[in-house]
Amino acid sequence: MGCGAAPERERPRVALLMKSLANEFFKTMEEGARAHHAARAGQYELLVNGIKDEQDVAGQITLVEQMMARGVDAIVIAPADSKALIPVCQRAVQQGIAVVNIDNQFDREVSSSRGIRIPFVGPSNRRGARLAGEYLAQRLRPGDAVAIVEGVPSAFNAVERRRGFQEAADAAGLQVVSSQTAGWETDRANQVASAMLSEHPGLKAFLCANDSMALGVVAAIRAAGREGEVLVAGFDNISAIQRLIREGQVLCTVDQHADQLAVYGIEYALEILKSGQRPADLETPVDLITADALQ
Protein backbone atom coordinates (compact mmCIF):
# COMPACT_ATOMS: atom_id res chain seq x y z
CA MET A 1 0.00 0.00 0.00
CA GLY A 2 1.40 3.44 -0.91
CA CYS A 3 2.17 6.11 1.63
CA GLY A 4 -0.99 7.86 2.70
CA ALA A 5 -3.27 5.54 0.72
CA ALA A 6 -6.44 4.54 2.54
CA PRO A 7 -7.76 0.96 2.43
CA GLU A 8 -11.12 0.39 0.82
CA ARG A 9 -13.58 1.37 3.52
CA GLU A 10 -16.81 3.32 3.43
CA ARG A 11 -15.50 5.90 5.89
CA PRO A 12 -11.84 6.49 6.76
CA ARG A 13 -10.94 5.77 10.37
CA VAL A 14 -8.97 8.56 12.08
CA ALA A 15 -7.23 8.10 15.44
CA LEU A 16 -6.54 11.14 17.61
CA LEU A 17 -3.76 10.39 20.10
CA MET A 18 -3.14 13.07 22.70
CA LYS A 19 -1.06 13.56 25.79
CA SER A 20 -2.56 13.56 29.31
CA LEU A 21 -6.33 13.82 29.40
CA ALA A 22 -5.92 15.03 32.99
CA ASN A 23 -4.77 18.32 31.47
CA GLU A 24 -7.68 20.62 30.65
CA PHE A 25 -5.94 21.68 27.43
CA PHE A 26 -6.23 18.16 26.00
CA LYS A 27 -9.76 17.70 27.31
CA THR A 28 -10.68 20.83 25.34
CA MET A 29 -8.86 19.42 22.32
CA GLU A 30 -10.88 16.21 22.60
CA GLU A 31 -14.16 18.10 22.90
CA GLY A 32 -13.34 20.09 19.76
CA ALA A 33 -12.51 16.93 17.83
CA ARG A 34 -15.69 15.18 18.94
CA ALA A 35 -17.81 18.20 18.01
CA HIS A 36 -16.19 18.28 14.56
CA HIS A 37 -16.88 14.57 14.11
CA ALA A 38 -20.47 14.85 15.34
CA ALA A 39 -21.15 17.36 12.57
CA ARG A 40 -19.48 15.13 9.97
CA ALA A 41 -20.12 11.61 11.22
CA GLY A 42 -20.86 10.43 7.71
CA GLN A 43 -17.41 11.49 6.49
CA TYR A 44 -15.11 9.63 8.90
CA GLU A 45 -14.87 7.52 12.05
CA LEU A 46 -13.04 8.98 15.05
CA LEU A 47 -11.06 7.10 17.69
CA VAL A 48 -9.76 9.20 20.61
CA ASN A 49 -7.22 8.24 23.21
CA GLY A 50 -4.58 9.74 25.50
CA ILE A 51 -1.97 8.73 28.04
CA LYS A 52 -2.04 8.79 31.85
CA ASP A 53 0.35 11.73 32.10
CA GLU A 54 2.44 13.79 29.71
CA GLN A 55 5.63 11.85 30.43
CA ASP A 56 4.19 8.39 29.67
CA VAL A 57 6.10 8.10 26.41
CA ALA A 58 6.05 4.28 26.40
CA GLY A 59 2.28 4.36 26.84
CA GLN A 60 1.86 6.61 23.82
CA ILE A 61 4.12 4.42 21.69
CA THR A 62 1.86 1.49 22.65
CA LEU A 63 -1.21 3.49 21.60
CA VAL A 64 0.28 4.08 18.14
CA GLU A 65 1.02 0.37 17.82
CA GLN A 66 -2.55 -0.45 18.86
CA MET A 67 -3.95 1.89 16.22
CA MET A 68 -1.68 0.28 13.61
CA ALA A 69 -2.99 -3.14 14.63
CA ARG A 70 -6.57 -1.90 14.32
CA GLY A 71 -5.89 -0.76 10.78
CA VAL A 72 -6.74 2.91 11.11
CA ASP A 73 -6.34 5.05 8.01
CA ALA A 74 -4.86 8.09 9.76
CA ILE A 75 -3.23 9.03 13.05
CA VAL A 76 -3.28 12.59 14.35
CA ILE A 77 -0.81 12.74 17.21
CA ALA A 78 0.31 15.26 19.84
CA PRO A 79 3.52 13.45 20.82
CA ALA A 80 4.68 13.35 24.43
CA ASP A 81 8.28 13.33 23.18
CA SER A 82 9.55 15.03 20.03
CA LYS A 83 12.09 12.29 19.28
CA ALA A 84 10.96 9.03 20.87
CA LEU A 85 7.66 8.82 18.95
CA ILE A 86 9.26 9.24 15.53
CA PRO A 87 10.27 5.58 14.94
CA VAL A 88 6.81 4.15 15.67
CA CYS A 89 5.12 6.88 13.60
CA GLN A 90 7.53 6.10 10.77
CA ARG A 91 6.40 2.47 10.93
CA ALA A 92 2.81 3.67 10.75
CA VAL A 93 3.59 5.70 7.61
CA GLN A 94 5.34 2.68 6.08
CA GLN A 95 2.20 0.67 6.81
CA GLY A 96 0.25 3.15 4.68
CA ILE A 97 -1.25 5.20 7.49
CA ALA A 98 -1.44 8.97 7.06
CA VAL A 99 0.24 10.54 10.09
CA VAL A 100 -0.21 14.19 11.05
CA ASN A 101 1.77 15.77 13.90
CA ILE A 102 -0.07 18.38 16.01
CA ASP A 103 0.72 20.53 19.05
CA ASN A 104 4.30 19.37 19.80
CA GLN A 105 6.50 19.26 16.71
CA PHE A 106 8.65 16.24 15.89
CA ASP A 107 12.39 16.87 15.99
CA ARG A 108 13.42 17.84 12.47
CA GLU A 109 16.98 16.51 12.72
CA VAL A 110 15.84 13.08 13.91
CA SER A 111 13.11 12.98 11.26
CA SER A 112 15.60 13.95 8.54
CA SER A 113 18.16 11.37 9.68
CA ARG A 114 15.50 8.67 9.41
CA GLY A 115 14.29 9.91 6.02
CA ILE A 116 10.78 10.61 7.26
CA ARG A 117 8.66 13.71 6.65
CA ILE A 118 5.51 14.05 8.75
CA PRO A 119 3.52 17.29 8.34
CA PHE A 120 3.17 19.48 11.42
CA VAL A 121 -0.02 21.38 12.15
CA GLY A 122 0.25 23.77 15.07
CA PRO A 123 1.19 27.19 16.40
CA SER A 124 4.54 28.88 16.76
CA ASN A 125 5.17 28.22 20.44
CA ARG A 126 8.17 30.50 20.35
CA ARG A 127 6.14 33.43 19.05
CA GLY A 128 3.36 32.79 21.56
CA ALA A 129 5.79 32.71 24.48
CA ARG A 130 7.47 35.86 23.26
CA LEU A 131 4.09 37.63 23.17
CA ALA A 132 3.51 36.72 26.81
CA GLY A 133 7.07 37.67 27.77
CA GLU A 134 6.86 41.04 26.06
CA TYR A 135 3.54 41.85 27.75
CA LEU A 136 4.96 40.92 31.15
CA ALA A 137 8.13 42.93 30.52
CA GLN A 138 6.04 46.09 30.10
CA ARG A 139 5.23 45.84 33.83
CA LEU A 140 8.88 45.46 34.88
CA ARG A 141 12.11 47.41 34.74
CA PRO A 142 15.44 46.49 33.10
CA GLY A 143 17.48 44.40 35.51
CA ASP A 144 14.45 42.91 37.31
CA ALA A 145 14.81 39.23 38.18
CA VAL A 146 12.47 36.71 36.52
CA ALA A 147 12.29 32.92 36.40
CA ILE A 148 11.17 30.45 33.73
CA VAL A 149 9.25 27.28 34.65
CA GLU A 150 9.84 24.93 31.73
CA GLY A 151 7.95 21.96 30.34
CA VAL A 152 9.50 18.57 29.53
CA PRO A 153 12.95 19.29 28.02
CA SER A 154 12.56 16.59 25.35
CA ALA A 155 9.40 18.24 23.99
CA PHE A 156 9.92 20.69 21.11
CA ASN A 157 7.12 22.97 22.26
CA ALA A 158 8.71 23.21 25.71
CA VAL A 159 12.05 24.18 24.18
CA GLU A 160 10.42 26.75 21.90
CA ARG A 161 8.43 28.34 24.72
CA ARG A 162 11.56 28.66 26.84
CA ARG A 163 13.33 30.31 23.90
CA GLY A 164 10.46 32.73 23.36
CA PHE A 165 10.42 33.70 27.04
CA GLN A 166 14.20 34.12 27.05
CA GLU A 167 14.13 36.30 23.93
CA ALA A 168 11.50 38.59 25.43
CA ALA A 169 13.46 38.86 28.68
CA ASP A 170 16.70 39.61 26.85
CA ALA A 171 15.06 42.27 24.69
CA ALA A 172 13.68 44.01 27.78
CA GLY A 173 16.89 43.75 29.78
CA LEU A 174 15.35 41.42 32.37
CA GLN A 175 17.57 39.02 34.29
CA VAL A 176 16.56 35.35 34.09
CA VAL A 177 17.93 34.13 37.41
CA SER A 178 16.57 30.56 37.15
CA SER A 179 15.07 28.32 34.47
CA GLN A 180 13.96 24.85 35.54
CA THR A 181 11.61 22.14 34.33
CA ALA A 182 8.48 21.18 36.23
CA GLY A 183 7.42 18.55 33.70
CA TRP A 184 4.17 20.33 32.79
CA GLU A 185 2.77 19.37 36.24
CA THR A 186 1.04 21.59 38.82
CA ASP A 187 2.43 19.99 41.99
CA ARG A 188 5.97 19.89 40.68
CA ALA A 189 5.74 23.52 39.57
CA ASN A 190 4.59 24.43 43.06
CA GLN A 191 7.74 22.85 44.52
CA VAL A 192 10.03 24.42 41.91
CA ALA A 193 8.53 27.88 42.37
CA SER A 194 8.70 27.65 46.17
CA ALA A 195 12.41 26.88 45.95
CA MET A 196 12.98 29.72 43.48
CA LEU A 197 11.19 32.22 45.72
CA SER A 198 13.36 31.20 48.66
CA GLU A 199 16.58 31.31 46.66
CA HIS A 200 15.78 34.58 44.89
CA PRO A 201 13.83 36.84 47.28
CA GLY A 202 13.91 39.70 44.76
CA LEU A 203 12.13 37.67 42.09
CA LYS A 204 9.58 39.78 40.21
CA ALA A 205 7.91 37.33 37.82
CA PHE A 206 7.46 33.76 36.59
CA LEU A 207 7.12 32.79 32.94
CA CYS A 208 5.37 29.41 32.86
CA ALA A 209 5.42 27.11 29.84
CA ASN A 210 1.87 25.94 30.48
CA ASP A 211 -1.09 26.94 32.59
CA SER A 212 -1.09 23.78 34.70
CA MET A 213 2.33 24.80 36.00
CA ALA A 214 1.18 28.40 36.39
CA LEU A 215 -1.48 27.16 38.84
CA GLY A 216 1.24 25.60 40.96
CA VAL A 217 3.30 28.79 40.79
CA VAL A 218 0.35 30.93 41.93
CA ALA A 219 -0.12 28.63 44.92
CA ALA A 220 3.59 28.94 45.78
CA ILE A 221 3.42 32.74 45.61
CA ARG A 222 0.38 32.73 47.87
CA ALA A 223 2.09 30.40 50.38
CA ALA A 224 5.13 32.68 50.43
CA GLY A 225 2.98 35.70 51.20
CA ARG A 226 4.02 37.38 47.94
CA GLU A 227 0.59 37.87 46.37
CA GLY A 228 0.46 41.08 44.35
CA GLU A 229 4.27 41.30 44.28
CA VAL A 230 5.22 38.58 41.78
CA LEU A 231 3.76 38.48 38.25
CA VAL A 232 2.82 35.24 36.50
CA ALA A 233 2.46 34.51 32.78
CA GLY A 234 1.14 31.19 31.48
CA PHE A 235 0.45 29.38 28.22
CA ASP A 236 -2.69 27.47 27.05
CA ASN A 237 -5.65 29.62 28.18
CA ILE A 238 -7.39 27.03 30.35
CA SER A 239 -10.51 28.13 32.23
CA ALA A 240 -8.85 28.04 35.69
CA ILE A 241 -6.25 30.53 34.49
CA GLN A 242 -8.88 32.77 32.92
CA ARG A 243 -10.44 33.10 36.37
CA LEU A 244 -7.08 33.99 37.92
CA ILE A 245 -6.44 36.57 35.20
CA ARG A 246 -9.78 38.21 35.97
CA GLU A 247 -8.86 38.19 39.68
CA GLY A 248 -5.46 39.72 38.97
CA GLN A 249 -3.45 36.72 40.21
CA VAL A 250 -2.12 35.90 36.71
CA LEU A 251 -1.11 38.59 34.24
CA CYS A 252 -1.62 36.78 30.94
CA THR A 253 -1.66 33.50 29.08
CA VAL A 254 -1.44 32.39 25.46
CA ASP A 255 -4.30 30.81 23.52
CA GLN A 256 -3.34 28.27 20.87
CA HIS A 257 -7.01 27.36 20.41
CA ALA A 258 -7.05 23.83 21.80
CA ASP A 259 -10.60 23.24 20.59
CA GLN A 260 -9.48 23.70 16.99
CA LEU A 261 -5.98 22.26 17.06
CA ALA A 262 -7.05 18.63 16.65
CA VAL A 263 -9.65 19.70 14.09
CA TYR A 264 -6.94 21.26 11.92
CA GLY A 265 -5.00 18.00 12.15
CA ILE A 266 -7.99 15.82 11.37
CA GLU A 267 -8.89 17.91 8.33
CA TYR A 268 -5.29 17.66 7.11
CA ALA A 269 -5.36 13.90 7.55
CA LEU A 270 -8.59 13.63 5.57
CA GLU A 271 -7.03 15.79 2.84
CA ILE A 272 -4.03 13.45 2.67
CA LEU A 273 -6.30 10.42 2.37
CA LYS A 274 -8.36 12.09 -0.35
CA SER A 275 -5.50 13.48 -2.44
CA GLY A 276 -2.78 10.90 -1.75
CA GLN A 277 -0.33 13.76 -1.26
CA ARG A 278 1.21 15.13 1.91
CA PRO A 279 0.49 18.83 2.48
CA ALA A 280 3.09 21.23 3.82
CA ASP A 281 3.26 22.24 7.47
CA LEU A 282 0.43 24.52 8.61
CA GLU A 283 0.98 27.23 11.21
CA THR A 284 -2.16 27.79 13.26
CA PRO A 285 -3.20 30.89 15.25
CA VAL A 286 -1.76 31.89 18.62
CA ASP A 287 -3.09 34.84 20.63
CA LEU A 288 -2.18 36.70 23.81
CA ILE A 289 -4.92 36.61 26.47
CA THR A 290 -5.07 39.40 29.07
CA ALA A 291 -7.72 40.74 31.42
CA ASP A 292 -8.82 43.16 28.70
CA ALA A 293 -9.27 40.30 26.24
CA LEU A 294 -11.50 38.43 28.71
CA GLN A 295 -13.91 41.33 29.30
Side-chain angles (χ1 to χ4, degrees):
M1 186 185 300
C3 173
E8 292 299 325
R9 185 184 286 138
E10 185 176 347
R11 290 181 301 163
R13 186 180 299 168
V14 179
L16 173 61
L17 303 182
M18 295 171 291
K19 293 190 275 184
S20 172
L21 296 182
N23 185 328
E24 183 184 325
F25 176 81
F26 292 103
K27 290 180 182 178
T28 302
M29 181 184 288
E30 177 183 9
E31 291 167 359
R34 291 196 183 280
H36 181 270
H37 176 253
R40 300 162 180 80
Q43 297 178 19
Y44 70 100
E45 297 178 41
L46 178 65
L47 304 173
V48 180
N49 215 325
I51 47 181
K52 62 181 181 179
D53 62 62
E54 295 191 41
Q55 300 186 64
D56 184 19
V57 176
Q60 197 174 43
I61 290 173
T62 298
L63 285 179
V64 176
E65 292 172 337
Q66 290 173 350
M67 294 303 100
M68 291 167 63
R70 293 183 65 172
V72 299
D73 302 290
I75 294 174
V76 177
I77 183 168
D81 188 285
S82 296
K83 298 179 181 179
L85 270 294
I86 293 176
V88 71
C89 286
Q90 182 175 22
R91 284 193 277 128
V93 171
Q94 291 168 342
Q95 186 174 304
I97 298 171
V99 178
V100 173
N101 172 206
I102 63 170
D103 178 50
N104 179 33
Q105 189 169 355
F106 282 133
D107 186 273
R108 290 178 178 175
E109 289 185 8
V110 174
S111 297
S112 179
S113 69
R114 297 184 67 91
I116 182 70
R117 176 73 174 85
I118 294 173
F120 173 69
V121 175
S124 169
N125 286 275
R126 192 169 183 170
R127 186 164 67 86
R130 181 149 187 165
L131 286 173
E134 290 171 344
Y135 186 74
L136 181 145
Q138 294 172 14
R139 272 87 183 151
L140 300 175
R141 297 178 179 178
D144 280 348
V146 301
I148 298 174
V149 182
E150 305 174 27
V152 176
S154 60
F156 182 81
N157 58 349
V159 173
E160 287 293 277
R161 290 176 195 178
R162 177 183 56 76
R163 286 175 176 166
F165 288 148
Q166 184 71 58
E167 288 172 353
D170 290 346
L174 304 178
Q175 183 182 4
V176 178
V177 296
S178 184
S179 185
Q180 299 178 40
T181 179
W184 303 122
E185 298 176 1
T186 301
D187 290 345
R188 191 170 165 191
N190 179 266
Q191 296 168 2
V192 168
S194 294
M196 288 177 171
L197 287 165
S198 296
E199 185 176 354
H200 305 283
L203 200 59
K204 298 294 186 182
F206 285 94
L207 295 149
C208 306
N210 81 348
D211 283 345
S212 293
M213 295 189 297
L215 293 174
V217 169
V218 169
I221 292 170
R222 186 181 304 121
R226 299 285 306 279
E227 287 180 278
E229 300 175 19
V230 183
L231 301 175
V232 178
F235 201 115
D236 277 346
N237 194 31
I238 65 174
S239 59
I241 286 293
Q242 291 179 9
R243 177 177 59 81
L244 293 180
I245 290 175
R246 290 188 177 98
E247 294 174 356
Q249 296 185 63
V250 172
L251 181 66
C252 63
T253 187
V254 177
D255 190 0
Q256 53 177 327
H257 307 282
D259 61 331
Q260 291 299 306
L261 201 49
V263 170
Y264 295 138
I266 289 168
E267 290 179 342
Y268 247 47
L270 293 173
E271 181 180 334
I272 293 170
L273 294 174
K274 182 178 180 180
S275 67
Q277 296 180 347
R278 227 175 295 167
D281 293 349
L282 174 64
E283 184 172 324
T284 58
V286 61
D287 297 296
L288 180 70
I289 302 298
T290 66
D292 290 341
L294 292 174
Q295 289 181 353

